[in-house]
Amino acid sequence: MSSPVLIVGSVAIDDVRTPAGERENCLGGAAVYSAVAASFFTGVNLVGVVGSDFPGEYVAFLGERGINLDGLQRAQGQTFRWAGYYEAEDLNQAHSLETRLNVFADFRPDLPESYRDDEFIFLACIDPELQLQVLGQVRSPRLAVCDTRDFWIVGKRDALVEVLKKSDVVIINDGEARLLCETNNNVQAARRILELGPRFVIIKKGEHGAMLFSREAVFAAPSFPLAEVVDPTGAGDTFAGAFTGYLAGSGEISFENMKRAVAWGTVAASFAIQDFSLERMKTLAFEDMRTRYAGLKAIAAFE
Ligand code: AMP
């Protein structure tokens, strides 16, 4: 049975420079990328805040994707802003130039009553204290998935560890896992995170794919091979949004179904990085994703 997914995280205006060019004031934010990806699979209830400068066309786009914005607060002040760049030598590594929390600094999530029974939760990247506040307001979560990044691992480690302990699935990239667990070995990092309590850990390795770990099993998926990447921003969020959205849409929480969810996440992310901001996602049809899903399956299969 299909359930909606509740998503909290940054809703942002980004300035991004990549080897393919640069864009200023574009739509971004972890919650935005993940909500759009999840909306291909199920209903999405978004929680976040924007400032008075947030363009109406960005709100309209989220509405057109069918994303429920009852939990999106509008505050006086500036929207969360992130500026960063990627170098041609390593497109997997985002370099942050500026992170301005702005209206997120005083944001207190207050979930609409209609969100509080949601069972599938994606805690996209934002202050872990806000992630905890959201988790505290849902009555009976079946699957809480969380993501984070270097900024919060360094700045709010203790609160972040609380989030990890309360989550069922932790999604993290290899660089962040290294920072969090102080090891270069992904298997060791996954084990250390599993020891904190989550049932599953996913370590994303950019163009080298992703690995799913439980205490008993491991699954590895390649990334979808692309000859050109335009803007890697939001790849991780798109992966996580599609992953959680697929699980919520199918309603089945098992290791086998998580493998499919990892593949859908991989496919969605491969589209997101083919243009700046969410430009590619605006025109993406589910049929395009289905074709690439079959392609990924063929690439990964062997006897
Ligand atoms: P990703 O490339 O998947 O790691 O996510 C990039 C998105 O995360 C951008 O659109 C940013 O607006 C957002 N972002 C960057 N830094 C932070 C942060 N410290 N907290 C929350 N969101 C962030």
Side-chain angles (χ1 to χ4, degrees), residues 10 12 14 28-30 33 80 82 99 125 149 151-152 232-237:
S10 55
D14 290 347
Y33 279 105
F80 179 102
W82 178 75
T99 303
C125 182
R149 61 186 294 146
F151 186 88
W152 302 111
T233 311
D237 310 312

Side-chain angles (χ1 to χ4, degrees), residues 116-259:
R116 291 181 184 234
D117 287 321
D118 287 350
E119 295 180 333
F120 288 80
I121 323 293
F122 177 47
L123 306 166
C125 182
I126 195 57
D127 186 333
E129 286 172 17
L130 296 180
Q131 295 176 316
L132 284 171
Q133 286 174 22
V134 165
L135 213 45
Q137 292 176 36
V138 286
R139 294 191 183 99
S140 47
R142 267 181 74 199
L143 192 80
V145 180
C146 81
D147 190 12
T148 192
R149 61 186 294 146
D150 48 1
F151 186 88
W152 302 111
I153 297 173
V154 174
K156 291 260 178 115
R157 197 183 181 94
D158 292 348
L160 176 61
V161 169
E162 282 311 304
V163 176
L164 303 179
K165 283 182 182 168
K166 292 193 157 82
S167 298
D168 301 289
V169 185
V170 173
I171 304 184
I172 192 162
N173 75 32
D174 45 4
E176 291 154 1
R178 210 173 298 142
L179 193 62
L180 179 71
C181 303
E182 286 153 3
T183 168
N184 283 328
N185 183 301
N186 287 333
V187 181
Q188 278 183 21
R191 284 194 187 140
R192 281 180 202 170
I193 298 171
L194 285 170
E195 273 166 20
L196 292 172
R199 286 184 282 151
F200 306 95
V201 173
I202 295 174
I203 301 199
K204 296 168 294 174
K205 302 178 294 165
E207 64 177 306
H208 306 297
M211 293 183 81
L212 165 68
F213 297 86
S214 71
R215 283 181 190 76
E216 300 81 26
V218 184
F219 170 67
S223 71
F224 189 83
L226 291 176
E228 197 197 9
V229 172
V230 173
D231 176 10
T233 311
D237 310 312
T238 304
F239 174 97
F243 171 86
T244 316
Y246 171 76
L247 290 174
S250 66
E252 183 192 326
I253 302 170
S254 65
F255 195 80
E256 279 309 304
N257 207 36
M258 287 210 179
K259 291 184 186 178

